[in-house]
Amino acid sequence: MRTTLAHEAVHARRGPCPRWLIPREELAVHAQAARALIPIGRLGEALAWSLDPRVVADELEVTPDLVDARLQGLGPDEYATLWNPTAHHRQAGA
């Protein structure tokens, strides 16, 4: 429910868009909702526990596709923020 509310709030802020832009608009809105609901610090804590998007989503009380959208939208500084909390996952696979 939080995901849906955040998604619709972003739509309300952005306002209407032309019909031909709806698919692109939905992707942008989903990415903004993900950013709003998943702070980078909490994402790092959840990823330190598990790399499974379903587990991370459960921990953050969002949907797995929202976790995927947040991860796909990481900037370089956010990616760097997640590097140390997830280091043990890379070491385990080496």
Side-chain angles (χ1 to χ4, degrees):
M1 184 170 190
R2 283 176 2 111
T3 300
T4 301
L5 290 174
H7 183 95
E8 294 307 319
V10 173
H11 271 300
R13 275 194 307 274
R14 290 174 64 95
C17 76
R19 187 178 197 99
W20 58 272
L21 270 179
I22 288 175
R24 184 181 300 173
E25 179 72 3
E26 284 300 319
L27 290 173
V29 166
H30 198 62
Q32 286 183 8
R35 183 168 290 283
L37 287 177
I38 306 172
I40 195 67
R42 293 220 38 232
L43 180 59
E45 291 168 4
L47 288 171
W49 180 258
S50 175
L51 296 179
D52 185 327
R54 296 167 299 184
V55 174
V56 173
D58 187 55
E59 178 69 23
L60 299 173
E61 298 177 338
V62 297
T63 59
D65 65 305
L66 209 65
V67 172
D68 288 338
R70 184 66 171 103
L71 290 171
Q72 290 172 9
L74 290 176
D77 55 330
E78 293 173 316
Y79 184 81
T81 299
L82 298 177
W83 189 255
N84 285 339
T86 59
H88 64 282
H89 294 298
R90 289 185 301 281
Q91 293 166 354

